[in-house]
Amino acid sequence: MAPTEETAQVTQDTVPPGTTPPAEPPAGAGAGHGARMPRWLPRAMVLALALIACFQLGSWAFHQLTGLLINILIAFFLALAVEPAVSWMAARGLRRGFATFLVFLGVVIASAGFVTLMGSMLAGQIVDMVEDFPDYLDKVISWINQTAHTDLSRVEVQDSLVHSDWLQKYVQNSASGVLDVSAQVLGGLFQLLTILLFSFYFAADGPRLRRALCSVLPPAKQAEVLRAWEIAVDKTGGYLYSRGLMALISGIAHYILLQVLDVPYAPVLAVWVGLVSQFIPTIGTYLAGALPMLIAFTVDPWYALWVLIFVVVYQQFENYVLQPKLTAKSVDIHPAVAFGSVIAGTALLGAVGALIAIPAVATLQAFLGAYVKRYDVTDDPRVHGHRRQVGAPLLARMRGALRGPNRPGAPPESGGAEPKRGRRR
């Protein structure tokens, strides 16, 4: 605000006599100094924009490479699983690369033989089922007529099925989805080859990989990394051992059932149930039980029902009795921790997370256990699950109060002093 005569007069009145009033700053000087931009602000804005761009780029690259990272993770655990066999063969004089090749060749041959047997069995059984479908349909219709007191015929059922709208829509959707299924099959084969290639390199070049990893770490950290590597190998091998043992028990149990029901191809079906139910998480049990039910249905529809009941009952026995005990003994983790790790792995990575969750948690638990300081446990009954008898003294006092102070057997009054006795006369 520009000075006026009145303000100048007030200033002169307030200034003590004998002093010079201060000179007023030129107009606009303070405003110009406050409007100047700080030198660090443009640099900070550029740095913030660069960090945001880097974060967006890294997030985009991570989402694009998620599939590859999951494949590498599976390959790493597969390499840990075959590490004991490769190391055993390498210790006997074979080159590590050739030993790894022999192990993977055995795995591929066993898998190819199993798939070939299952394919031939399934194809032959489908042909037999199609040829015998009219007889099965007659049996089902006769059973329905006897049970529900209806009058159905096979011709009416076939005509209703052939001319139904849902069947025509299903055929059209199946024809349009052939290309999608083919693309998914090719993508699955490429993913399988990627996993096998990475796992082969991880297993064959395991010592070189460990040396490269240890070369960038100080000596103290190198020992910790090598110890963690050995723990991961042991826990992964123990996990596969437990799954293989459960697959063997499951296969034997289902083989006995299929033999009792006289279902064809019982040995192959038993191997199918054992492997698929144990090594395909989440949906493996349902995939494993569907094929024996289908084959049993071709023999007798009631046999399919018996197989379904047996699969459900055995699955409950395996989930609540067999799996927790075998997993806790081979992988050395609590059954509740194993169950929770499977749920967490499924939530994070789906089926892959469910498959590798238990060995990963077991490795982490064993590695961190060395850094947890432990103490001697006190010799207290509560440690062993025995509670102190806190209610007994209270109950005794209540009984004494009910009896009264003059009744025999009553406890002394609380106060510590005995009642005074009168003099004898």
Side-chain angles (χ1 to χ4, degrees), residues 317-343:
F317 167 76
E318 181 182 281
N319 289 338
Y320 294 102
V321 178
L322 187 62
Q323 181 175 354
K325 292 184 178 181
L326 291 179
T327 303
K329 290 183 179 297
S330 59
V331 192
D332 195 18
I333 61 176
H334 194 272
V337 177
F339 183 70
S341 63
V342 170
I343 295 177

PDB file of all heavy atoms in Angstrom, residues 317-343:
ATOM      1  N   PHE A 317      -9.588 -89.778   3.821  1.00  0.00           N
ATOM      2  CA  PHE A 317      -8.581 -90.476   4.627  1.00  0.00           C
ATOM      3  C   PHE A 317      -7.182 -89.958   4.318  1.00  0.00           C
ATOM      4  O   PHE A 317      -6.363 -89.761   5.230  1.00  0.00           O
ATOM      5  CB  PHE A 317      -8.674 -91.985   4.351  1.00  0.00           C
ATOM      6  CG  PHE A 317      -7.501 -92.764   4.865  1.00  0.00           C
ATOM      7  CD1 PHE A 317      -7.363 -93.042   6.222  1.00  0.00           C
ATOM      8  CD2 PHE A 317      -6.526 -93.237   3.992  1.00  0.00           C
ATOM      9  CE1 PHE A 317      -6.279 -93.761   6.690  1.00  0.00           C
ATOM     10  CE2 PHE A 317      -5.442 -93.953   4.458  1.00  0.00           C
ATOM     11  CZ  PHE A 317      -5.318 -94.218   5.811  1.00  0.00           C
ATOM     12  N   GLU A 318      -6.913 -89.690   3.065  1.00  0.00           N
ATOM     13  CA  GLU A 318      -5.588 -89.198   2.685  1.00  0.00           C
ATOM     14  C   GLU A 318      -5.358 -87.774   3.167  1.00  0.00           C
ATOM     15  O   GLU A 318      -4.265 -87.441   3.650  1.00  0.00           O
ATOM     16  CB  GLU A 318      -5.444 -89.264   1.163  1.00  0.00           C
ATOM     17  CG  GLU A 318      -4.097 -88.810   0.647  1.00  0.00           C
ATOM     18  CD  GLU A 318      -4.023 -88.856  -0.861  1.00  0.00           C
ATOM     19  OE1 GLU A 318      -3.834 -89.954  -1.417  1.00  0.00           O
ATOM     20  OE2 GLU A 318      -4.183 -87.788  -1.481  1.00  0.00           O
ATOM     21  N   ASN A 319      -6.381 -86.932   3.087  1.00  0.00           N
ATOM     22  CA  ASN A 319      -6.220 -85.529   3.475  1.00  0.00           C
ATOM     23  C   ASN A 319      -6.024 -85.362   4.974  1.00  0.00           C
ATOM     24  O   ASN A 319      -5.221 -84.530   5.414  1.00  0.00           O
ATOM     25  CB  ASN A 319      -7.428 -84.718   3.022  1.00  0.00           C
ATOM     26  CG  ASN A 319      -7.479 -84.546   1.520  1.00  0.00           C
ATOM     27  OD1 ASN A 319      -6.461 -84.660   0.830  1.00  0.00           O
ATOM     28  ND2 ASN A 319      -8.654 -84.299   0.988  1.00  0.00           N
ATOM     29  N   TYR A 320      -6.748 -86.152   5.769  1.00  0.00           N
ATOM     30  CA  TYR A 320      -6.757 -85.920   7.207  1.00  0.00           C
ATOM     31  C   TYR A 320      -5.896 -86.895   8.001  1.00  0.00           C
ATOM     32  O   TYR A 320      -5.621 -86.642   9.176  1.00  0.00           O
ATOM     33  CB  TYR A 320      -8.198 -85.991   7.739  1.00  0.00           C
ATOM     34  CG  TYR A 320      -9.064 -84.875   7.226  1.00  0.00           C
ATOM     35  CD1 TYR A 320      -9.968 -85.092   6.189  1.00  0.00           C
ATOM     36  CD2 TYR A 320      -8.973 -83.592   7.752  1.00  0.00           C
ATOM     37  CE1 TYR A 320     -10.763 -84.063   5.703  1.00  0.00           C
ATOM     38  CE2 TYR A 320      -9.766 -82.557   7.274  1.00  0.00           C
ATOM     39  CZ  TYR A 320     -10.650 -82.807   6.245  1.00  0.00           C
ATOM     40  OH  TYR A 320     -11.431 -81.782   5.755  1.00  0.00           O
ATOM     41  N   VAL A 321      -5.488 -88.003   7.405  1.00  0.00           N
ATOM     42  CA  VAL A 321      -4.710 -89.000   8.144  1.00  0.00           C
ATOM     43  C   VAL A 321      -3.358 -89.252   7.487  1.00  0.00           C
ATOM     44  O   VAL A 321      -2.301 -89.089   8.120  1.00  0.00           O
ATOM     45  CB  VAL A 321      -5.502 -90.324   8.268  1.00  0.00           C
ATOM     46  CG1 VAL A 321      -4.671 -91.381   8.998  1.00  0.00           C
ATOM     47  CG2 VAL A 321      -6.814 -90.101   8.995  1.00  0.00           C
ATOM     48  N   LEU A 322      -3.367 -89.632   6.220  1.00  0.00           N
ATOM     49  CA  LEU A 322      -2.139 -90.096   5.578  1.00  0.00           C
ATOM     50  C   LEU A 322      -1.204 -88.953   5.210  1.00  0.00           C
ATOM     51  O   LEU A 322      -0.022 -88.968   5.555  1.00  0.00           O
ATOM     52  CB  LEU A 322      -2.500 -90.907   4.326  1.00  0.00           C
ATOM     53  CG  LEU A 322      -1.356 -91.624   3.614  1.00  0.00           C
ATOM     54  CD1 LEU A 322      -0.713 -92.646   4.539  1.00  0.00           C
ATOM     55  CD2 LEU A 322      -1.864 -92.309   2.354  1.00  0.00           C
ATOM     56  N   GLN A 323      -1.721 -87.953   4.516  1.00  0.00           N
ATOM     57  CA  GLN A 323      -0.862 -86.872   4.028  1.00  0.00           C
ATOM     58  C   GLN A 323      -0.203 -86.068   5.140  1.00  0.00           C
ATOM     59  O   GLN A 323       0.996 -85.770   5.057  1.00  0.00           O
ATOM     60  CB  GLN A 323      -1.665 -85.960   3.103  1.00  0.00           C
ATOM     61  CG  GLN A 323      -0.849 -84.814   2.512  1.00  0.00           C
ATOM     62  CD  GLN A 323      -1.653 -84.007   1.517  1.00  0.00           C
ATOM     63  OE1 GLN A 323      -2.773 -84.354   1.182  1.00  0.00           O
ATOM     64  NE2 GLN A 323      -1.081 -82.912   1.052  1.00  0.00           N
ATOM     65  N   PRO A 324      -0.930 -85.659   6.205  1.00  0.00           N
ATOM     66  CA  PRO A 324      -0.232 -84.893   7.256  1.00  0.00           C
ATOM     67  C   PRO A 324       0.906 -85.657   7.909  1.00  0.00           C
ATOM     68  O   PRO A 324       1.967 -85.084   8.181  1.00  0.00           O
ATOM     69  CB  PRO A 324      -1.356 -84.591   8.255  1.00  0.00           C
ATOM     70  CG  PRO A 324      -2.599 -84.634   7.459  1.00  0.00           C
ATOM     71  CD  PRO A 324      -2.381 -85.711   6.445  1.00  0.00           C
ATOM     72  N   LYS A 325       0.734 -86.951   8.138  1.00  0.00           N
ATOM     73  CA  LYS A 325       1.790 -87.719   8.799  1.00  0.00           C
ATOM     74  C   LYS A 325       2.994 -87.916   7.887  1.00  0.00           C
ATOM     75  O   LYS A 325       4.140 -87.725   8.310  1.00  0.00           O
ATOM     76  CB  LYS A 325       1.242 -89.071   9.244  1.00  0.00           C
ATOM     77  CG  LYS A 325       0.221 -88.965  10.373  1.00  0.00           C
ATOM     78  CD  LYS A 325      -0.215 -90.329  10.854  1.00  0.00           C
ATOM     79  CE  LYS A 325      -1.191 -90.208  12.026  1.00  0.00           C
ATOM     80  NZ  LYS A 325      -1.619 -91.521  12.529  1.00  0.00           N
ATOM     81  N   LEU A 326       2.764 -88.287   6.643  1.00  0.00           N
ATOM     82  CA  LEU A 326       3.899 -88.512   5.735  1.00  0.00           C
ATOM     83  C   LEU A 326       4.614 -87.211   5.416  1.00  0.00           C
ATOM     84  O   LEU A 326       5.849 -87.169   5.345  1.00  0.00           O
ATOM     85  CB  LEU A 326       3.403 -89.174   4.442  1.00  0.00           C
ATOM     86  CG  LEU A 326       2.922 -90.621   4.565  1.00  0.00           C
ATOM     87  CD1 LEU A 326       2.455 -91.129   3.221  1.00  0.00           C
ATOM     88  CD2 LEU A 326       4.028 -91.511   5.119  1.00  0.00           C
ATOM     89  N   THR A 327       3.868 -86.143   5.239  1.00  0.00           N
ATOM     90  CA  THR A 327       4.500 -84.856   4.939  1.00  0.00           C
ATOM     91  C   THR A 327       5.286 -84.348   6.128  1.00  0.00           C
ATOM     92  O   THR A 327       6.390 -83.809   5.985  1.00  0.00           O
ATOM     93  CB  THR A 327       3.430 -83.835   4.534  1.00  0.00           C
ATOM     94  OG1 THR A 327       2.700 -84.340   3.422  1.00  0.00           O
ATOM     95  CG2 THR A 327       4.068 -82.515   4.158  1.00  0.00           C
ATOM     96  N   ALA A 328       4.754 -84.533   7.336  1.00  0.00           N
ATOM     97  CA  ALA A 328       5.465 -84.064   8.522  1.00  0.00           C
ATOM     98  C   ALA A 328       6.739 -84.860   8.757  1.00  0.00           C
ATOM     99  O   ALA A 328       7.742 -84.327   9.238  1.00  0.00           O
ATOM    100  CB  ALA A 328       4.550 -84.163   9.740  1.00  0.00           C
ATOM    101  N   LYS A 329       6.757 -86.161   8.412  1.00  0.00           N
ATOM    102  CA  LYS A 329       7.950 -86.972   8.646  1.00  0.00           C
ATOM    103  C   LYS A 329       9.014 -86.752   7.576  1.00  0.00           C
ATOM    104  O   LYS A 329      10.203 -86.721   7.869  1.00  0.00           O
ATOM    105  CB  LYS A 329       7.559 -88.453   8.707  1.00  0.00           C
ATOM    106  CG  LYS A 329       6.753 -88.823   9.955  1.00  0.00           C
ATOM    107  CD  LYS A 329       6.461 -90.304   9.984  1.00  0.00           C
ATOM    108  CE  LYS A 329       5.677 -90.672  11.250  1.00  0.00           C
ATOM    109  NZ  LYS A 329       6.442 -90.401  12.474  1.00  0.00           N
ATOM    110  N   SER A 330       8.612 -86.621   6.322  1.00  0.00           N
ATOM    111  CA  SER A 330       9.596 -86.496   5.246  1.00  0.00           C
ATOM    112  C   SER A 330      10.088 -85.074   5.069  1.00  0.00           C
ATOM    113  O   SER A 330      11.264 -84.844   4.798  1.00  0.00           O
ATOM    114  CB  SER A 330       8.993 -87.011   3.930  1.00  0.00           C
ATOM    115  OG  SER A 330       7.835 -86.270   3.619  1.00  0.00           O
ATOM    116  N   VAL A 331       9.197 -84.097   5.203  1.00  0.00           N
ATOM    117  CA  VAL A 331       9.573 -82.706   5.007  1.00  0.00           C
ATOM    118  C   VAL A 331       9.835 -82.005   6.334  1.00  0.00           C
ATOM    119  O   VAL A 331      10.399 -80.923   6.374  1.00  0.00           O
ATOM    120  CB  VAL A 331       8.470 -81.969   4.208  1.00  0.00           C
ATOM    121  CG1 VAL A 331       8.942 -80.613   3.738  1.00  0.00           C
ATOM    122  CG2 VAL A 331       8.055 -82.795   3.004  1.00  0.00           C
ATOM    123  N   ASP A 332       9.419 -82.596   7.456  1.00  0.00           N
ATOM    124  CA  ASP A 332       9.683 -82.099   8.803  1.00  0.00           C
ATOM    125  C   ASP A 332       9.033 -80.739   9.043  1.00  0.00           C
ATOM    126  O   ASP A 332       9.657 -79.799   9.537  1.00  0.00           O
ATOM    127  CB  ASP A 332      11.186 -82.018   9.068  1.00  0.00           C
ATOM    128  CG  ASP A 332      11.497 -81.861  10.557  1.00  0.00           C
ATOM    129  OD1 ASP A 332      10.596 -82.163  11.358  1.00  0.00           O
ATOM    130  OD2 ASP A 332      12.604 -81.434  10.899  1.00  0.00           O
ATOM    131  N   ILE A 333       7.767 -80.605   8.676  1.00  0.00           N
ATOM    132  CA  ILE A 333       6.994 -79.424   9.028  1.00  0.00           C
ATOM    133  C   ILE A 333       5.668 -79.886   9.610  1.00  0.00           C
ATOM    134  O   ILE A 333       5.223 -81.008   9.359  1.00  0.00           O
ATOM    135  CB  ILE A 333       6.758 -78.488   7.823  1.00  0.00           C
ATOM    136  CG1 ILE A 333       5.979 -79.210   6.718  1.00  0.00           C
ATOM    137  CG2 ILE A 333       8.053 -77.941   7.298  1.00  0.00           C
ATOM    138  CD1 ILE A 333       5.628 -78.315   5.564  1.00  0.00           C
ATOM    139  N   HIS A 334       5.052 -79.028  10.370  1.00  0.00           N
ATOM    140  CA  HIS A 334       3.793 -79.368  11.017  1.00  0.00           C
ATOM    141  C   HIS A 334       2.698 -79.528   9.959  1.00  0.00           C
ATOM    142  O   HIS A 334       2.678 -78.811   8.954  1.00  0.00           O
ATOM    143  CB  HIS A 334       3.406 -78.263  12.011  1.00  0.00           C
ATOM    144  CG  HIS A 334       2.321 -78.659  12.959  1.00  0.00           C
ATOM    145  ND1 HIS A 334       0.987 -78.500  12.658  1.00  0.00           N
ATOM    146  CD2 HIS A 334       2.384 -79.235  14.182  1.00  0.00           C
ATOM    147  CE1 HIS A 334       0.253 -78.936  13.665  1.00  0.00           C
ATOM    148  NE2 HIS A 334       1.074 -79.388  14.613  1.00  0.00           N
ATOM    149  N   PRO A 335       1.773 -80.480  10.168  1.00  0.00           N
ATOM    150  CA  PRO A 335       0.701 -80.664   9.175  1.00  0.00           C
ATOM    151  C   PRO A 335      -0.126 -79.407   8.945  1.00  0.00           C
ATOM    152  O   PRO A 335      -0.536 -79.136   7.803  1.00  0.00           O
ATOM    153  CB  PRO A 335      -0.145 -81.792   9.789  1.00  0.00           C
ATOM    154  CG  PRO A 335       0.792 -82.540  10.660  1.00  0.00           C
ATOM    155  CD  PRO A 335       1.754 -81.536  11.197  1.00  0.00           C
ATOM    156  N   ALA A 336      -0.378 -78.632   9.999  1.00  0.00           N
ATOM    157  CA  ALA A 336      -1.135 -77.390   9.815  1.00  0.00           C
ATOM    158  C   ALA A 336      -0.359 -76.385   8.972  1.00  0.00           C
ATOM    159  O   ALA A 336      -0.922 -75.684   8.126  1.00  0.00           O
ATOM    160  CB  ALA A 336      -1.483 -76.784  11.177  1.00  0.00           C
ATOM    161  N   VAL A 337       0.962 -76.324   9.179  1.00  0.00           N
ATOM    162  CA  VAL A 337       1.797 -75.434   8.360  1.00  0.00           C
ATOM    163  C   VAL A 337       1.808 -75.896   6.910  1.00  0.00           C
ATOM    164  O   VAL A 337       1.765 -75.084   5.979  1.00  0.00           O
ATOM    165  CB  VAL A 337       3.223 -75.371   8.932  1.00  0.00           C
ATOM    166  CG1 VAL A 337       4.117 -74.508   8.066  1.00  0.00           C
ATOM    167  CG2 VAL A 337       3.205 -74.831  10.354  1.00  0.00           C
ATOM    168  N   ALA A 338       1.871 -77.211   6.700  1.00  0.00           N
ATOM    169  CA  ALA A 338       1.844 -77.737   5.332  1.00  0.00           C
ATOM    170  C   ALA A 338       0.531 -77.396   4.642  1.00  0.00           C
ATOM    171  O   ALA A 338       0.505 -76.962   3.479  1.00  0.00           O
ATOM    172  CB  ALA A 338       2.053 -79.253   5.357  1.00  0.00           C
ATOM    173  N   PHE A 339      -0.577 -77.557   5.356  1.00  0.00           N
ATOM    174  CA  PHE A 339      -1.877 -77.247   4.776  1.00  0.00           C
ATOM    175  C   PHE A 339      -2.002 -75.753   4.468  1.00  0.00           C
ATOM    176  O   PHE A 339      -2.482 -75.353   3.402  1.00  0.00           O
ATOM    177  CB  PHE A 339      -2.977 -77.701   5.733  1.00  0.00           C
ATOM    178  CG  PHE A 339      -4.367 -77.498   5.206  1.00  0.00           C
ATOM    179  CD1 PHE A 339      -4.849 -78.254   4.160  1.00  0.00           C
ATOM    180  CD2 PHE A 339      -5.192 -76.526   5.764  1.00  0.00           C
ATOM    181  CE1 PHE A 339      -6.135 -78.056   3.675  1.00  0.00           C
ATOM    182  CE2 PHE A 339      -6.471 -76.325   5.292  1.00  0.00           C
ATOM    183  CZ  PHE A 339      -6.942 -77.100   4.240  1.00  0.00           C
ATOM    184  N   GLY A 340      -1.562 -74.916   5.402  1.00  0.00           N
ATOM    185  CA  GLY A 340      -1.624 -73.482   5.172  1.00  0.00           C
ATOM    186  C   GLY A 340      -0.714 -73.023   4.041  1.00  0.00           C
ATOM    187  O   GLY A 340      -1.067 -72.115   3.279  1.00  0.00           O
ATOM    188  N   SER A 341       0.463 -73.646   3.914  1.00  0.00           N
ATOM    189  CA  SER A 341       1.367 -73.273   2.827  1.00  0.00           C
ATOM    190  C   SER A 341       0.781 -73.629   1.469  1.00  0.00           C
ATOM    191  O   SER A 341       0.961 -72.886   0.492  1.00  0.00           O
ATOM    192  CB  SER A 341       2.719 -73.960   3.027  1.00  0.00           C
ATOM    193  OG  SER A 341       2.574 -75.368   2.959  1.00  0.00           O
ATOM    194  N   VAL A 342       0.068 -74.765   1.386  1.00  0.00           N
ATOM    195  CA  VAL A 342      -0.570 -75.139   0.119  1.00  0.00           C
ATOM    196  C   VAL A 342      -1.648 -74.121  -0.254  1.00  0.00           C
ATOM    197  O   VAL A 342      -1.767 -73.716  -1.418  1.00  0.00           O
ATOM    198  CB  VAL A 342      -1.159 -76.562   0.221  1.00  0.00           C
ATOM    199  CG1 VAL A 342      -2.028 -76.871  -0.989  1.00  0.00           C
ATOM    200  CG2 VAL A 342      -0.046 -77.584   0.329  1.00  0.00           C
ATOM    201  N   ILE A 343      -2.447 -73.696   0.737  1.00  0.00           N
ATOM    202  CA  ILE A 343      -3.483 -72.703   0.457  1.00  0.00           C
ATOM    203  C   ILE A 343      -2.855 -71.374   0.012  1.00  0.00           C
ATOM    204  O   ILE A 343      -3.305 -70.739  -0.954  1.00  0.00           O
ATOM    205  CB  ILE A 343      -4.361 -72.499   1.703  1.00  0.00           C
ATOM    206  CG1 ILE A 343      -5.126 -73.794   2.019  1.00  0.00           C
ATOM    207  CG2 ILE A 343      -5.337 -71.348   1.507  1.00  0.00           C
ATOM    208  CD1 ILE A 343      -5.968 -73.702   3.271  1.00  0.00           C
TER     209      ILE A 343
END
